[in-house]
Amino acid sequence: FATKNLPANISKGKDIVRRSVVGSDTDSCLFTVREWVKWRHGTVTFERENQAIWHTLVFIVSQVVSHNLTLLVGNQGVKEKYVDLLSMKNEFAFSVFGLTNIAKHYYASQIIKEGNVFKNAHLEIKGVQFKDSNSPPALIKLNENMLVDLMDQIAATGKCKVLPLLKQMADEERKVQSSIERA
């Protein structure tokens, strides 16, 4: 998995489209290994064997990325004693990760944080519009419950039932519209 040769297109770093990283920031890198798990196990579930495959692949990919970072700084003339200073670690694991159409806004089902494995998944919500919403607290709570239900369905079956979710959202919109019309 490791080579001392940098990819030929490393000079086009700003133009690279990453296919294995669904989101990243200064704190974490989130790897998509779903297809590898599916290829090895035949299905994507969150059973113990699939978790083992998933975590092993994330470890290997993390090591490859660290190796490439070391090569990159070494090729930029950094002294050998400092080449290992730039590295990464996998801080989080999400069984389900949902991107929104708004940059830096996502929701996820967090099962590992900083090496701590949770018995039950924690809801992770990121984004200013999620956090600082002017919506009524009851609607915010309803949204969070819908996200948790959605992620639980996906974690359990690999799929979700969309129509009940859309109906619930439409019912809530009709309630809001009705309350506005009454006012």
Side-chain angles (χ1 to χ4, degrees):
F1 287 123
T3 176
K4 291 188 182 227
N5 303 313
L6 289 171
N9 63 351
I10 195 68
S11 63
K12 297 183 180 190
K14 64 181 177 53
D15 300 321
I16 290 175
V17 175
R18 297 175 293 179
R19 292 193 176 118
S20 63
V21 180
V22 296
S24 67
D25 58 29
T26 56
D27 298 326
S28 64
C29 246
L30 315 170
F31 295 97
T32 303
V33 294
R34 179 179 187 269
E35 292 304 314
W36 292 337
V37 172
K38 188 175 179 182
W39 168 76
R40 172 62 181 91
H41 196 256
T43 183
V44 177
T45 63
F46 296 94
E47 297 168 6
R48 187 171 175 82
E49 183 178 348
N50 280 352
Q51 290 283 336
I53 295 168
W54 171 31
H55 294 296
T56 301
L57 288 169
V58 169
F59 174 76
I60 291 169
V61 171
S62 296
Q63 295 304 300
V64 170
V65 171
S66 292
H67 175 74
N68 284 335
L69 288 172
T70 300
L71 288 175
L72 181 67
V73 298
N75 286 336
Q76 290 178 341
V78 173
K79 291 183 180 178
E80 189 172 341
K81 65 181 180 179
Y82 298 121
V83 295
D84 290 326
L85 291 178
L86 183 61
S87 64
M88 63 171 285
K89 63 183 168 72
N90 188 40
E91 297 176 10
F92 301 100
F94 301 124
S95 56
V96 179
F97 185 87
L99 292 171
T100 69
N101 291 332
I102 305 167
K104 298 193 178 209
H105 284 68
Y106 67 85
Y107 56 93
S109 182
Q110 186 182 91
I111 56 173
I112 297 175
K113 180 178 180 181
E114 305 283 340
N116 296 307
V117 180
F118 303 131
K119 184 174 182 177
N120 299 311
H122 295 182
L123 175 62
E124 169 86 2
I125 295 179
K126 289 289 184 191
V128 174
Q129 292 183 24
F130 273 143
K131 299 283 188 179
D132 296 329
S133 174
N134 291 331
S135 298
L139 277 180
I140 294 171
K141 186 65 178 163
L142 177 69
N143 180 56
E144 289 177 1
N145 290 339
M146 288 171 58
L147 290 175
V148 168
D149 290 344
L150 174 70
M151 290 187 292
D152 286 348
Q153 281 183 48
I154 293 169
T157 66
K159 301 175 184 176
C160 69
K161 294 180 181 177
V162 176
L163 287 178
L165 187 63
L166 292 175
K167 182 183 180 321
Q168 187 178 8
M169 289 189 299
D171 289 345
E172 287 304 314
E173 282 191 26
R174 283 189 282 274
K175 285 180 189 175
V176 170
Q177 182 178 359
S178 177
S179 71
I180 293 170
E181 288 170 352
R182 282 192 311 266

